[in-house]
Structures are given as C-alpha cells and as structure tokens.
Amino acid sequence: MTKVRDLLLLVILVFIVAFGVYLPAAVALRFVDLPTGMTYRSVQGSVWHMRFEETVLFGRPIGMLELSPSPISILGSTQGTAKIAGSDMQAEFVFEFDETLHVDELFVTTGIQTSLMGLAASGVADISDANLVLEPSGRCREASGRLKTDIFRAAFTAFGLASDAITTNLRCDAGVLSFSFSRQLDGGVLDIQGRLTRPQEINLAMQLRFDDQARMPQQWINGLGRAGFQATDDGWRAEVRVPL
C-alpha cells in the first residue's frame, strides 16, 4: 500500500512539474499584470519562454519581445533574460525584480527620428555595457554604461561644429536617467545635459558660453533667438523637449 501511495505521489509530482514547464504563455499571463504601457498582438511559447509579437511599449512599436524567466524565479525574485527584435530596435539584457528592477548587461541599438530646435533630427542611438537599478515608480536609483548617438548632427552643423557622433556615460541624476557632454567651438563651449523625463521624451538643457559675448556675431545672436535660446548672465540657454 505504501508503494502504491508513493507511486501516486510521484505521478502527481511529475504531472505538476510537466504542467509548469509546458504551461502556455497565454494561460500564464492570465494571472500576471503586464507593465503599464505594454500591449501586444499575440503571445507564443511557454511560461519559460514567451514571445510577444507586435509589441508596443509606451506608444512605440518595438516588434518582437522575448522573455525567458529563470526557473530559479520560483524560489524568490523574478529573473531571466529579455530580447527585443524590431525593424528599428535591437536589444538584449538580463533582469531581476524584487523590490527594485535590476537591468544588467544591457545592449540597445535603436533608430530615432525626431525634431530638435526646429530641425529634423535622425540617427542611431547605441547603449552598451549598461546596468540600471529602477524603483517600481520608474525612479532611477543607479545607472552606468555608455551612450553613443549621432542625432545631434543637425544641431552641431547649425553651430558650425563637426557633425560626428557623441559618446557619453549614463548616470542617475535626482532619480532620472541622464547624460551630459560638451563641444568646444571657436571662442566658447556648448554644454548639453539630457534627462529621460518620460519613456518617450528627453529633456535637453543646452548652455552656450562665449569667452567674450560682446564679440558674438549678430547672425549668431539672431540664430540663437530663432532656435529658442535666451540670453543669461552666463551665456545663452535653452530647454528643449525631444520626443522619441
């Protein structure tokens, strides 16, 4: 009788494990709340490898999203790997979520078409070797990694600067994912600080300083005014929102 009971328990255990391994993703998602701002057309695969087709995050189509939770997630925090494959975005990263969201080994390549200072701005943004720690509210707690992009080419050309790509480091600034860089120009410097204030928007604070503002060409002054810059005691400043 004991052997029969043990055999029955073994069969039940095998069934539970097999059911968990092969549980369809569409069924598993009935018991899970998706992140705010995420929609998709369909989902394929099992609970351990979910493939979302025609995924949209915060209003932006990103294509296919693959999530592969680790079986160790059963024991505690949710962790695993993710991959995005779309027409203008490629990304891979490792994630772990307990009280905060940890994103590690993040690599992203995405195309951007937007406007900056009334000029069409397009190009590619690459994020490499990035690690992020985000609170549930989206507040940035820790950040590292590199950002390389050429979307500032039109703005650099307008200032008479070389229109090559910039490379800068990511960081958290007052809870916001941020970056900054400077460009030297004849007799002055252009400082730019970017802040990802919303998932689909970067807030740029641009400060243009000249060694001798009194010698600034009038055409420069006129151009800065048209571009939204205002004169300050420390040069010319502009705040620009760039939709992504």
Side-chain angles (χ1 to χ4, degrees):
M1 191 69 178
T2 302
K3 291 183 179 181
V4 173
R5 184 191 62 191
D6 292 344
L7 180 59
L8 181 60
L9 290 175
L10 178 60
V11 170
I12 293 174
L13 178 61
V14 170
F15 175 78
I16 291 174
V17 172
F19 181 75
V21 169
Y22 295 106
L23 180 65
V27 175
L29 290 175
R30 297 175 186 173
F31 308 97
V32 178
D33 292 328
L34 290 174
T36 303
M38 175 181 170
T39 62
Y40 58 93
R41 181 181 61 81
S42 63
V43 60
Q44 308 294 330
S46 72
V47 66
W48 301 116
H49 185 81
M50 296 177 279
R51 186 175 68 254
F52 299 89
E53 303 289 349
E54 298 183 22
T55 311
V56 177
L57 286 179
F58 303 105
R60 177 174 181 174
I62 64 170
M64 181 186 70
L65 168 63
E66 292 184 356
L67 292 178
S68 300
S70 169
I72 201 172
S73 300
I74 297 175
L75 303 178
S77 60
T78 302
Q79 52 187 287
T81 61
K83 180 179 179 179
I84 295 173
S87 58
D88 66 346
M89 177 182 288
Q90 305 288 324
E92 293 184 9
F93 57 91
V94 176
F95 65 87
E96 180 177 358
F97 182 78
D98 40 38
E99 294 182 356
T100 56
L101 174 61
H102 295 249
V103 177
D104 298 314
E105 302 173 28
L106 173 63
F107 292 85
V108 180
T109 296
T110 181
I112 297 177
Q113 292 186 341
T114 184
S115 60
L116 177 59
M117 298 166 46
L119 302 171
S122 63
V124 176
D126 292 322
I127 294 176
S128 58
D129 298 324
N131 300 287
L132 307 173
V133 179
L134 305 175
E135 298 177 358
S137 63
R139 181 181 175 85
C140 183
R141 181 177 292 185
E142 298 177 21
S144 64
R146 292 188 298 275
L147 166 67
K148 181 179 180 180
T149 182
D150 59 356
I151 67 168
F152 297 99
R153 289 178 301 180
F156 289 159
T157 300
F159 284 107
L161 303 175
S163 59
D164 55 344
I166 62 101
T167 300
T168 183
N169 294 324
L170 298 173
R171 69 178 191 277
C172 291
D173 181 17
V176 179
L177 185 62
S178 305
F179 62 89
S180 60
F181 61 94
S182 298
R183 274 295 171 94
Q184 297 293 324
L185 61 153
D186 188 18
V189 63
L190 173 66
D191 294 323
I192 296 181
Q193 177 172 321
R195 294 164 56 85
L196 189 65
T197 53
R198 292 160 52 183
Q200 288 293 89
E201 182 179 274
I202 293 177
N203 188 1
L204 294 179
M206 299 186 288
Q207 184 78 35
L208 180 63
R209 300 180 179 86
F210 277 88
D211 299 334
D212 185 358
Q213 295 194 61
R215 299 182 59 183
M216 282 182 60
Q218 186 61 43
Q219 61 267 29
W220 271 80
I221 296 176
N222 296 338
L224 290 172
R226 289 192 298 269
F229 280 78
Q230 295 181 343
T232 69
D233 294 337
D234 191 27
W236 293 74
R237 185 174 179 82
E239 295 277 349
V240 181
R241 292 180 178 179
V242 182
L244 300 176

